[in-house]
């Protein structure tokens, strides 16, 4: 099976990278340089008109949206137990990933690029502040969910990778998450996993390659 992940450094494509690695899947990565707007190149738009990563190709069949991609990986490699076995917990895991993707991610995007949601001159700080408040509320919820737990369920599952990305991005935007101790512990736990170490090394190599080619 030929599995290809279209990915860009620091993006949410990190989640399927980590999940594929946790699954022990053999896959190749096609890095896109967002600084060069490669996600908008005609050849890529043919694959994904939404001009976004992640995009998964499996023997040429394409799948977009991280929740669907994460679910495909879990379904394809059941022995990796990337979703909980209990049917309700499995749905709760999908619910968590949907929350990461549609409840948290959009506010991270606003912090990254305020003009995408408001064109009013001088509004950037206000957009960022409102997004930070929404993120705060969401991290408080995640902090409660992680109380007394190592992961969202009794072992690593796909939502852990997804939430790790959300938290990493928030930290890159210098949001103050210090009071969310359970989230911070989850972050450290994730960073100690070989899959995340591999991702971080890979990201570094891709960024170095982009810098060389600039
Ligand atoms: N709902 C999508 C969101 C994907 C998304 O927004 N990806 C961003 C990176 S984190 C992207 O590719 N942005 C490039 C662009 O919008 O041009 C998912 O969860 O897969």
């Amino acid at each position: 099976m030929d599995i290809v992940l279209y990915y860009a450094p620091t993006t949410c494509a990190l989640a399927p990278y980590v999940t594929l690695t946790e699954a022990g899947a053999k896959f190749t990565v096609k890095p896109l340089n967002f600084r060069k707007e490669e996600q908008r190149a005609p050849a890529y738009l043919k694959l994904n008109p939404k001009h976004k990563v992640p995009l998964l190709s499996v023997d040429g069949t394409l799948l977009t949206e991280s929740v669907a991609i994460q679910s495909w990986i879990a379904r394809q490699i059941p022995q990796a137990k990337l979703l909980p076995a209990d049917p309700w917990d499995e749905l709760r895991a999908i619910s968590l990933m949907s929350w990461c993707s549609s409840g948290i991610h959009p506010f991270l995007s606003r912090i990254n690029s305020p003009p995408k949601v408001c064109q009013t001159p001088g509004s950037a700080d206000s957009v960022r502040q409102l997004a930070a408040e929404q993120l705060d509320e969401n991290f408080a919820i995640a902090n409660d969910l992680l109380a007394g737990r190592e992961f969202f369920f009794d072992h690593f599952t796909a939502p852990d990778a997804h939430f790790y990305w959300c938290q990493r991005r928030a930290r890159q935007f210098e949001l103050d998450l210090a009071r969310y101790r359970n989230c911070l512990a989850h972050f450290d736990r994730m960073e100690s996993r070989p899959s995340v170490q591999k991702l971080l090394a890979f990201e570094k190599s891709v960024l170095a390659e982009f810098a060389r080619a600039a």
Side-chain angles (χ1 to χ4, degrees):
M1 191 180 289
D2 183 29
I3 303 176
V4 182
L5 175 68
Y6 291 79
Y7 149 101
T10 76
T11 68
C12 61
L14 169 164
Y17 184 106
V18 168
T19 304
L20 282 163
T21 307
E22 290 276 349
K26 200 166 156 268
F27 65 104
T28 52
V29 183
K30 295 243 166 97
L32 274 69
N33 188 341
F34 278 11
R35 291 245 161 113
K36 293 188 172 172
E37 296 268 307
E38 286 179 352
Q39 78 276 27
R40 290 179 187 270
Y44 189 69
L45 289 177
K46 273 194 195 144
L47 301 176
N48 184 4
K50 292 184 270 189
H51 55 83
K52 294 192 187 301
V53 293
L55 166 68
L56 194 75
S57 166
V58 182
D59 293 334
T61 298
L62 301 172
L63 187 62
T64 60
E65 298 300 326
S66 44
V67 181
I69 293 170
Q70 296 277 69
S71 303
W72 180 88
I73 303 165
R75 194 185 284 182
Q76 188 63 30
I77 308 164
Q79 63 276 21
K81 301 185 187 334
L82 297 166
L83 287 175
D86 175 80
W88 272 105
D89 279 347
E90 182 186 30
L91 291 169
R92 286 184 190 106
I94 293 170
S95 167
L96 280 170
M97 290 191 287
S98 303
W99 176 47
C100 288
S101 159
S102 64
I104 301 180
H105 189 162
F107 295 111
L108 293 165
S109 304
R110 281 171 209 197
I111 290 192
N112 192 35
S113 187
K116 278 194 181 154
V117 291
C118 188
Q119 290 177 314
T120 309
S123 61
D125 284 349
S126 163
V127 168
R128 283 204 177 95
Q129 191 194 319
L130 289 170
E133 283 169 18
Q134 295 290 330
L135 286 166
D136 211 46
E137 198 175 286
N138 282 299
F139 280 108
I141 294 168
N143 199 58
D144 287 347
L145 290 173
L146 287 167
R149 320 186 59 90
E150 293 198 349
F151 299 106
F152 284 106
F153 296 93
D154 61 5
H155 63 282
F156 168 90
T157 57
D160 291 300
H162 212 139
F163 183 69
Y164 166 69
W165 174 76
C166 292
Q167 195 173 180
R168 181 172 192 239
R169 209 70 187 114
R171 288 163 75 131
Q172 286 168 337
F173 295 143
E174 295 181 355
L175 294 182
D176 180 12
L177 304 181
R179 62 195 171 288
Y180 303 127
R181 293 184 183 279
N182 304 326
C183 292
L184 298 190
H186 182 266
F187 186 84
D188 290 345
R189 208 166 286 123
M190 286 298 297
E191 292 231 313
S192 70
R193 292 182 82 78
S195 60
V196 174
Q197 288 297 316
K198 186 168 174 235
L199 171 275
L200 295 176
F202 178 73
E203 181 181 83
K204 210 169 163 187
S205 72
V206 170
L207 288 170
E209 185 51 43
F210 286 173
R212 264 195 300 278

